[in-house]
Amino acid sequence: MLSHWVRAILQATVYDVAIQTPLDPAPKLTQRFGNDIRFKREDLQPVFSFKLRGAYNRISQLSDAQKARGVICASAGNHAQGVAYSAQRLSLNNIIVMPTTTPDIKVDAVKALGGHVDLFGDSFDDANRYAMARAESEGLTFIPPYDDELVIAGQGTIALELTQQWRDMDYVFVAVGGGGLISGVAAFLGEVAPHVKVIAVEASEAASLKAALEADERVRLPQVGLFADGVAVAQIGKLPFDVVRMQKSDGSGAVVDPEVITCTNDEVCAAVKDVFEENRSIVEPAGALAIAGMKKYIQAHHLKNKNCVGIICGANMNFDRLRYIAERTEIGEKKEAIFAVTIPEQTGAFLNFCRSLQGRNITEFNYRADNRLSPDSMEPAAIFVGIALKDGENERQTISNQLATDGYSAYDLTDDDIAKSHIRHLIGGHAHVDNEQLLKITFPERPGALLSFLEKLGNDFNITLFHYRNHGAAEGRVLVGLQASDSNSRQLQDALLDIGYQCTVISDNIGYQLFLK
């Protein structure tokens, strides 16, 4: 019953440590989208995240005996800080298990809040199993990040505040990872303000709620992207999944709208910029996810003159990630497109190509001459070009059509992550290497991970291409070229399987074919 959840939320003990966060207007987005848009500023909590609410509500209601034994949790981010802060305020022994891949900035933040960090495993699942085993063997109380009634009730106090701050809300957009935040918010609003539509927003690389709703049961994703690490959860929590499907008190439908909005990394990067431009705050990718989903939903449903809230759920940003976010923002805002275009390898070809763009601004231009060809050869050359857009997706197609009309072969790479993350940084001419295979490799980002890869690969294969950039994330991404003839291709596949990293052969990638092969 929703009334049970409302009672639990009203009785939640969060304000000993948490603050009632403001609901700030977003005038720039309001004007751009023609709706009254406001931000619920959970990034202003003492630990810069809403997670403090649920963690403290759960820990503060432990028995005296449980408090005496202490608490333990597994987390690589905001939940860890919420538990550490809560335990410190209550003078409790605590152990925070974090994966070995956790960036130092997050480990240091937890330690600064009084957390006793134990690094274990390459992933959250490894750390979580270890933490639960320690809880069992040492008599500690395990504090779950989302699949717990008191944790959910603590997060639901956000909805209580929203009803006090803005009675005329029409929509609330909520980022979803394990589901603790959206279930708490939706349960309260579904009973107290059922006219408000609660819209779930997920990262497209970690859309576990969307998959669960489509299957009508919880689904474990085979893998999740870690860019928005605060919501990188492979399976929605059991209790949250039950709550989001409950019916509103007025019988108008489920407490969470069945349409889940998913957003790409580029769209999330654009939302990080939107938040910065509104209030000069830099939020983490998961913190901006609700804003990215709000923009997408408003445009898809042609909303006008509605009152929309986006919950900014966290601001624990690793500073190293800002260069990646800045690089992707224009694409996420639909203000830039990336094309690979073949032009004649002859004098004047650049000029003629630029004329075909009809005055559009070029944001990036990469080209390297092929020394095998004469300056006036009629053989085609490939260029990697960024073009500023004024009309979003529609203009991308217009550009493609115009280039085709002018006789160019053009490939739209705007949605090609390999092109954006690697190819653009490697353009320098073709290597003319025989039997080259291109591999995309993802590995846990920790000291020694690259060395481990090279050692396990051994000396049997010639490395012909290598590109890696540290983006301050928990996963590293490498583009590798290896020579593998028909005779040893099987040996290569066996070597990659033995390494244990996620390896994908992508030798047919169009950017690689045009610029590097």
Side-chain angles (χ1 to χ4, degrees), residues 16 34 39 53 91 95 97 113 120 137 144 149 177 187 200 208 226 236 241 280 293 307 330 382 404 412 477 510:
D16 290 345
F39 295 163
R53 296 175 184 261
S91 301
I95 298 172
V97 182
L113 294 171
F120 183 89
S137 63
E149 182 172 325
S208 64
L226 298 180
I236 191 79
F241 187 52
R280 294 301 183 266
N307 298 331
E330 293 296 303
D412 190 339
R477 293 179 295 172
I510 188 64

Side-chain angles (χ1 to χ4, degrees), residues 212-248:
L213 290 174
E214 290 174 350
D216 199 29
E217 64 179 357
R218 292 195 305 147
V219 174
R220 177 170 290 277
L221 303 177
Q223 63 186 61
V224 296
L226 298 180
F227 173 67
D229 53 348
V231 292
V233 177
Q235 185 178 43
I236 191 79
K238 183 180 184 304
L239 187 54
F241 187 52
D242 291 338
V243 173
V244 300
R245 294 183 296 171
M246 295 176 72
Q247 295 297 302
K248 294 182 178 182

